Amino acid sequence: MHLQRIIAVAALAVITLAADAQQVVRSIEPVAQDLYRVTSGHYHTMYWVTPAGIVLFDPIDADTARWLKAEVAERHAAPVRYVIYSHNHPDHVYGGEVFDDPRTIFIAHERAREDLVRTRAATRIPELAFSDQLTLNLDGKTLRLRYHGPNNGRGSISIHFVDARVMFVVDWIVLGRMPYRDLPGYDIDGMIRSTREVLTLDWDTLVGGHAQIGDRKAVERYLAYLEALYTAVRDGMLAGKPLEDLQKEIRLDEFKDLANYEAWLPLNIAGVYRTLADQSYLPTRTDVPRQPE
């Protein structure tokens, strides 16, 4: 009986630890005047406070949205005037229905909105969609939304707080950490192109939907990693090497300080390999050596 009690207590401790591990840590921190970064677990979003109302970005999920709605109401007198989706992925835009004030206008790129409609996404569908660029002028300050072409998911945009010199990008620029695993839903060419375009714009601080806040040098280093990864995989494929060999041979140790480097580098290689095989048909080209059967 004594042993059974010890086992039961130990099992209860394991269950308690598992439950604690599932608790999501949430916080709000200022980035610039009237501009805040919201953290929910390993996700980030933002909101901007203006006399004309609050502009809020990805709600992330219903639980985060309910928490954020209460926090914003307690901290600020202004109502939520706009909710803007960064792209179509549900782990960023679910929970939109929590912001149910009929005066709140939801905005997304037209490709993101189209995908949410077609897939019957269980979140609030944006009323306003744009194609290339949309500018909001509130209280004499400018917010500019830009579409840079495919990069991650559908309709993923950059969000530029012009006067604060802050850029917000979700998923396709990640600072201080490797790109996600085997790049599911990513377009490596588009990531490189879009990141180059963001670097031509006028800003000082970049906030990501994951990982760290950084400056222009951090984004330049991220771009250098993407370019080095793409080049190494492309050149290996052009030499006729299979994926397994590339995963063993490719090392980009100048970037080994990035979080998840050892675990995710082989996965990043697989993601680029898949893209070049699916989109560029590299393994089928006549100028690429064939592996012996």
Side-chain angles (χ1 to χ4, degrees):
M1 292 295 293
H2 181 64
L3 178 59
Q4 289 177 335
R5 184 176 180 183
I6 292 174
I7 293 172
V9 170
L12 179 61
V14 170
I15 292 171
T16 301
L17 286 172
D20 289 342
Q22 292 175 1
Q23 291 181 353
V24 176
V25 176
R26 299 188 174 101
S27 63
I28 296 174
E29 61 182 310
V31 174
Q33 184 176 0
D34 299 322
L35 189 59
Y36 299 86
R37 181 175 83 152
V38 177
T39 297
S40 181
H42 62 275
Y43 289 85
H44 303 298
T45 187
M46 299 189 73
Y47 70 88
W48 179 33
V49 181
T50 80
I54 291 172
V55 183
L56 188 144
F57 300 88
D58 295 347
I60 300 176
D61 58 56
D63 288 341
T64 300
R66 283 188 286 267
W67 169 82
L68 181 55
K69 183 179 181 180
E71 287 289 322
V72 167
E74 182 177 340
R75 293 167 183 248
H76 311 286
V80 175
R81 182 174 177 185
Y82 297 99
V83 175
I84 299 173
Y85 293 161
S86 64
H87 63 310
N88 69 313
H89 283 169
D91 59 332
H92 291 274
V93 304
Y94 266 37
E97 71 281 357
V98 170
F99 297 92
D100 54 0
D101 187 330
R103 296 169 296 180
T104 302
I105 299 171
F106 277 61
I107 302 173
H109 185 266
E110 60 187 12
R111 291 182 181 270
R113 184 187 186 283
E114 180 182 63
D115 184 76
L116 294 173
V117 171
R118 283 183 174 176
T119 61
R120 300 182 181 179
T123 190
R124 184 165 163 181
I125 302 299
E127 297 88 7
L128 177 60
F130 66 97
S131 56
D132 297 317
Q133 185 170 295
L134 178 68
T135 300
L136 295 179
N137 293 302
L138 298 174
D139 192 36
K141 296 182 179 179
T142 301
L143 172 66
R144 188 160 291 126
L145 313 176
R146 289 184 177 87
Y147 180 59
H148 301 272
N151 43 49
N152 173 248
R154 297 189 187 278
S156 190
I157 59 175
S158 67
I159 298 162
H160 188 190
F161 304 92
V162 175
D163 301 276
R165 300 179 64 81
V166 172
M167 182 71 70
F168 180 41
V169 171
V170 177
D171 282 353
W172 47 274
I173 296 180
V174 183
L175 303 181
R177 196 204 76 185
M178 297 285 279
Y180 187 65
R181 298 180 67 83
D182 65 343
L183 310 182
Y186 289 80
D187 180 325
I188 183 67
D189 294 293
M191 293 165 71
I192 291 171
R193 182 189 61 253
S194 298
T195 303
R196 287 173 179 168
E197 289 181 4
V198 163
L199 282 166
T200 68
L201 303 175
D202 194 15
W203 53 271
D204 298 322
T205 302
L206 186 133
V207 178
H210 299 281
Q212 301 173 5
I213 294 175
D215 58 13
R216 299 183 71 85
K217 287 187 177 180
V219 177
E220 289 168 356
R221 187 162 188 260
Y222 167 80
L223 175 60
Y225 171 75
L226 293 183
E227 292 174 333
L229 174 69
Y230 178 91
T231 298
V233 176
R234 179 203 63 199
D235 290 353
M237 293 178 74
L238 289 176
K241 295 182 179 180
L243 172 60
E244 294 75 14
D245 288 356
L246 297 182
Q247 289 175 311
K248 293 175 183 176
E249 295 173 5
I250 293 175
R251 296 290 301 177
L252 303 173
D253 284 343
E254 62 270 36
F255 302 101
K256 66 182 179 181
D257 59 302
L258 297 177
N260 300 323
Y261 174 80
E262 292 294 343
W264 288 6
L265 177 60
L267 297 175
N268 278 194
I269 292 167
V272 176
Y273 187 100
R274 182 186 65 244
T275 300
L276 288 172
D278 290 349
Q279 302 298 323
S280 302
Y281 283 18
L282 247 63
T284 69
R285 281 176 26 174
T286 57
D287 56 329
V288 173
R290 295 290 184 272
Q291 291 296 312
E293 297 293 338

